[in-house]
Amino acid sequence: MTISENPVFSTLTEGDQLRCQQIASPRRYQAGESIVYAGDIWPYLILVEEGNLIAIKESSEGRSLIVETVLPGEVVWGMAFFEPQAQMPVSLTADQDSQVLLWSCDQLLPILLNNGSALWELCRLLIWRVRRASDVLEELAFHPVAGRLAKFLVDQYGKSGGERIKRELTLDDMAAHIGSTREMVCRILQRFSTQGLIEIMRTEFTFTDLDHLARLAQSNLSER
């Protein structure tokens, strides 16, 4: 993955792309390693080359919600990259062993200010992130937990058909993805099993009625 494949950097001249490559700080992070914590002042922008990062929002009660996954070729930035002294609203963690390129605001901003097309692409990305955050908020506010879990399972494993799937995600992982608790996820998975929608084993599970799960993902069940 090269910087020229990212929409923001692809608009730069070859000379500016080379300059960005030269001033970037390569970093490697192991799976589970924290990059920055919520509340930190972090005036940096990161381009993911390998692996992926997750942005996590935590409540005062200790519940976690994964609000964004940053994939290879995508960028993520701190609030202080645009607004000095602005704190990070989320924590950023490596979900897998990851390699990234990192720039400070002081390094990258002069190049961006001289390239209107790059700034435009960054603005487009900002708008997309705002829309994504709005979708997440709407889903949490108006879609019941059972529906959110069904949607997550269908999105993650819907192409598996009737094959057995290795249980790589823990209950805590699933809860973080849908903004709930491990206890609630456990209860709903057991309900899905009792209803004949999924067969749960110690290390694997199998979808036995994927169509029903897909319909449930759009339902208006009242449980929260």
Side-chain angles (χ1 to χ4, degrees), residues 7-9 11-12 111-112 115-123:
V8 175
F9 291 97
T11 64
L12 301 177
I111 298 175
L112 294 176
N115 291 271
S117 295
L119 282 176
W120 177 253
E121 289 299 329
L122 190 55
C123 287

Side-chain angles (χ1 to χ4, degrees), residues 29-61:
Y29 298 97
Q30 296 181 345
E33 185 175 355
S34 295
I35 299 169
V36 60
Y37 295 98
D40 288 351
I41 296 174
W42 194 68
Y44 298 96
L45 181 143
I46 276 180
L47 170 68
V48 179
E49 293 189 301
E50 299 176 9
N52 64 62
L53 315 179
I54 51 176
I56 304 173
K57 184 75 172 179
E58 296 183 348
S59 72
S60 58
E61 295 83 14

Side-chain angles (χ1 to χ4, degrees), residues 52-98:
N52 64 62
L53 315 179
I54 51 176
I56 304 173
K57 184 75 172 179
E58 296 183 348
S59 72
S60 58
E61 295 83 14
R63 292 169 58 180
S64 298
L65 172 65
I66 297 175
V67 296
E68 190 66 60
T69 300
V70 189
L71 302 174
E74 297 181 344
V75 297
V76 62
W77 53 84
M79 298 290 285
F81 187 86
F82 294 99
E83 182 65 29
Q85 304 307 310
Q87 298 179 342
M88 286 288 291
V90 296
S91 298
L92 196 61
T93 301
D95 190 39
Q96 305 173 356
D97 291 346
S98 302

Side-chain angles (χ1 to χ4, degrees), residues 17 25 35 45 52 55 79 123 126 146-147 157 177 179 208 221:
Q17 289 180 11
S25 298
I35 299 169
L45 181 143
N52 64 62
M79 298 290 285
C123 287
L126 281 167
Y157 307 110
H177 276 281
T208 49
L221 295 177

Side-chain angles (χ1 to χ4, degrees), residues 43-45 80-82 103-110:
Y44 298 96
L45 181 143
F81 187 86
F82 294 99
W103 295 268
S104 70
C105 176
D106 291 340
Q107 290 175 310
L108 200 54
L109 188 57

